[in-house]
Structure formats: C-alpha cells, structure tokens
Amino acid sequence: MAKIKPSKGAPYARILGVGGYRPTRVVPNEVILETIDSSDEWIRSRSGIETRHWASPEETVAAMSVEASGKAIADAGIDAAQIGAVVVSTVSHFSQTPAVATEIADKLGTDKAAAFDISAGCAGFGYGLTLAKGMVVEGSAEYVLVIGVERLSDLTDLEDRATAFLFGDGAGAVVVGPSQEPAIGPTVWGSEGDKSETIKQTVPWDRFRTGDVSELPLDSAGNVKFPAITQEGQAVFRWAVFEMAKVAQQALDAAGITADDLDVFIPHQANVRIIDSMVKTLKLPEHVTVARDIRTTGNTSAASIPLAMERLLATGEAKSGDTALVIGFGAGLVYAASVVTLP
C-alpha cells in the first residue's frame, strides 16, 4: 500500500488584516417609513438602527468585495498574488454559477487562487474563518482571503413592517495566514434545521419558472413581489438571546479563557437588544468593548462581523492584539463562534 505524504502547514493561523466597504448611499429611517406604518422611535427602540447603507447598481457584490479585500490585503502587508484561496460568504449573489469568488480572485490579481462561495447566512463569516484556519494549518494555502458580502437591499420587502428596516449592504474581508502561536480558537458551530422556517426566503426561485403568478405574493400596487427575506421576529429573538449566549460561552470555554480575559465582543449585528441581552447573560466586564455597528450599518448578514471589526480598529475602540469573541447566527438556523486575536 502506498503511503500518502502528510500535509504540512503552519503550526497555527491568525487574522493578519481586515478591510471593509460600505456603499456611499446612507439611508435614514425616514426613507423606510415611506412604505411602512411605523416611526423612527419604534425602529430605534426595537433594533437600534438609525441608518443603513444601500448599494448602487455599480456597487455589486463583486465590486464591494474587491474594495474590502484590497484593504484587507494591504493591512496584512502581503501581495494579492500570495493569496492561495478566496472564500466568499453571501446569500445575495444572484448568479447560480460560477461562484462570485472566482471573479473576485481574478480582479484582485491572485495567482489562480482556489475560489468558492458558501451560503451560511449571518454565520457565514465564522464558517469561512474556520475553513481558512484549516487551510493554513493543513498547508493547502499559506494565505486565505475570507469575505462576507451582501446586497440585502435586493432581498428586502419594503412593505414588510417586520423586516423593511433591518437590512443593509456592504462587504468585510480578512486575510488569514500563518502564526507561531494560537490566535484563532476552536470554533463552536452547528445548525438547528428544525427552526429553518423562522428565517427564510419568501418564494423559491423556481416558482417564477411556470409563469403562474396566482400564488405569488403581490405588492400594494398588485405587482408580483421579488423574493425577499422574511422572519418570525420573536422566535428568532428568543433563540438568539438564550441559545447563542450558551454558544458564546462554549467558545470561551473551548479557547480556555473567561469573560474577564476578553477585550472585545463582536457579535453578529442583528439587533441591539440581542447584543445587550447577550452582554448581560455572559456577564461581560465593563472593560470589554462591544461592537454596536448595527446603529449605522444595519444587518449586513455575513458582512456584519468583519465590518464591525474593521470599524472598531479604525476608530481605536479596539487595538491590534486584543482578544475578541466573535459569534454569528442566522438563517438555517446556523451559528459559529470563536475567540480570535485582532490583527
């Protein structure tokens, strides 16, 4: 029997650089109120959101990703040609194939990097980070680019009072590379498919294939609505507050640290009340900086954690070398949490 040569990579992996891109158009709550019966005060109190960014036609999933990735690569101090793999998490790239990651890899100037998309909703960044860590340690890539990117404005029903105000657009990226010491802790991840109906697309794409619109949702003008993201808000809130705090604690335990050892907490930016509840349940000390990027960015799904990370570092609220707990959770229902050292 032939013996397969064992792979050899770095002893550990770490985040070396981070970059973000937010579309130029800033959308205040007043714009959302043009199509739903609500108020600015209600939106702020329920979600914490004051503004969000919506992409222009030119700010495509690929274009936003290239902008964010260029910043991350520069921040990491490497060349694009050194990137061995590109992992893109998104639910809003509408071409079934090819993967948008291949276009991004080419536009960045990588040297034929492996490139693929994943669909893990708001936990997508955590899933991508875990894959990247494995590639660096296993040796299949020295540097891996992980991108979370969404144009959720394309999947928003502006007449849905429960979700119209939630979603924003943007891209966040990190470069993962070799490390001589542990800097990305074990990932606690999983799924609860029995709860998949709580966050979902309103209509599957194939419902448009037959031309029969009799069972398709209509807008107030009688036109067929484009598929959008819908959710059962209370069910999602309860799950996130109670179950995800447990997952976050498991990630701390897996990394061998306590809440007192943390410098930064970067949860998925879904709802400021969820964030505040998790902070309370985890009993985070006052010295821990908590990301609340949702106030001006909205819920950008897979992009929310790297965007929040980039902003905390840019504003000085967090610094290089800080120990951070990151956790993403969303449609599926899926989740992923780990402790990382900030670049």
Side-chain angles (χ1 to χ4, degrees):
M1 180 185 294
K3 290 186 177 181
I4 298 175
K5 182 179 179 180
S7 58
K8 185 179 180 180
Y12 306 103
R14 70 182 302 120
I15 300 174
L16 298 173
V18 60
Y21 180 82
R22 293 171 173 81
T24 56
R25 183 187 177 191
V26 177
V27 180
N29 289 337
E30 286 72 20
V31 171
I32 307 299
L33 297 175
E34 294 174 3
T35 51
I36 61 171
D37 180 16
S38 188
S39 69
D40 177 62
E41 190 279 331
W42 186 88
I43 294 174
R44 291 179 187 234
S45 65
R46 298 288 291 183
S47 67
I49 299 173
E50 301 168 10
T51 60
R52 74 283 292 147
H53 295 256
W54 283 356
S56 67
E58 293 75 25
E59 291 168 315
T60 64
V61 165
M64 292 191 293
S65 296
V66 168
E67 289 292 331
S69 299
K71 296 175 184 177
I73 292 169
D75 192 42
I78 65 170
D79 295 325
Q82 293 175 267
I83 296 292
V86 178
V87 183
V88 178
S89 178
T90 185
V91 299
S92 48
H93 175 59
F94 292 154
S95 292
Q96 193 72 38
T97 192
V100 71
T102 59
E103 178 184 350
I104 295 165
D106 177 63
K107 288 184 174 179
L108 286 171
T110 68
D111 185 16
K112 300 180 181 178
F116 58 95
D117 299 349
I118 61 174
S119 176
C122 304
F125 175 75
Y127 276 49
L129 187 64
T130 303
L131 294 173
K133 173 186 173 183
M135 282 186 266
V136 171
V137 173
E138 187 268 343
S140 59
E142 184 176 12
Y143 299 100
V144 181
L145 179 65
V146 180
I147 304 167
V149 57
E150 302 292 2
R151 277 180 54 114
L152 293 182
S153 58
D154 291 335
L155 288 168
T156 299
D157 180 353
L158 293 177
E159 295 182 346
D160 181 357
R161 190 173 184 272
T163 61
F165 58 90
L166 286 177
F167 302 120
D169 303 337
V174 299
V175 172
V176 177
S179 174
Q180 293 303 307
E181 58 185 27
I184 301 175
T187 300
V188 177
W189 58 352
S191 65
E192 298 185 33
D194 60 319
K195 300 179 180 66
S196 61
E197 291 295 305
T198 57
I199 306 175
K200 64 180 183 179
Q201 183 172 308
T202 52
V203 181
W205 302 116
D206 61 4
R207 290 279 296 277
F208 288 82
R209 204 171 180 182
T210 63
D212 181 7
V213 300
S214 60
E215 296 184 2
L216 296 176
L218 305 177
D219 62 22
S220 56
N223 300 311
V224 174
K225 286 186 177 182
F226 191 74
I229 297 173
T230 185
Q231 69 174 27
E232 298 174 13
Q234 288 302 314
V236 173
F237 182 87
R238 288 192 297 269
W239 175 78
V241 168
F242 296 109
E243 297 303 322
M244 291 305 97
K246 297 176 186 177
V247 171
Q249 183 60 55
Q250 290 170 14
L252 291 175
D253 295 341
I257 69 171
T258 68
D260 290 335
D261 298 315
L262 281 179
D263 300 303
V264 185
F265 179 42
I266 311 177
H268 165 50
Q269 303 294 293
N271 183 303
V272 76
R273 293 190 301 148
I274 292 175
I275 295 171
D276 291 342
S277 295
M278 292 181 70
V279 168
K280 183 177 180 180
T281 302
L282 289 168
K283 298 179 180 179
L284 296 186
E286 288 189 6
H287 75 262
V288 176
T289 298
V290 179
R292 293 186 175 87
D293 192 45
I294 188 171
R295 289 173 175 158
T296 56
T297 307
N299 180 345
T300 56
S301 188
S304 75
I305 290 175
L307 278 174
M309 182 185 295
E310 184 264 349
R311 176 161 280 173
L312 288 177
L313 289 166
T315 60
E317 296 173 82
K319 63 183 185 297
S320 175
D322 278 353
T323 299
L325 170 62
V326 298
I327 179 169
F329 45 86
L333 294 169
V334 295
Y335 54 87
S338 60
V339 175
V340 305
T341 301
L342 295 183

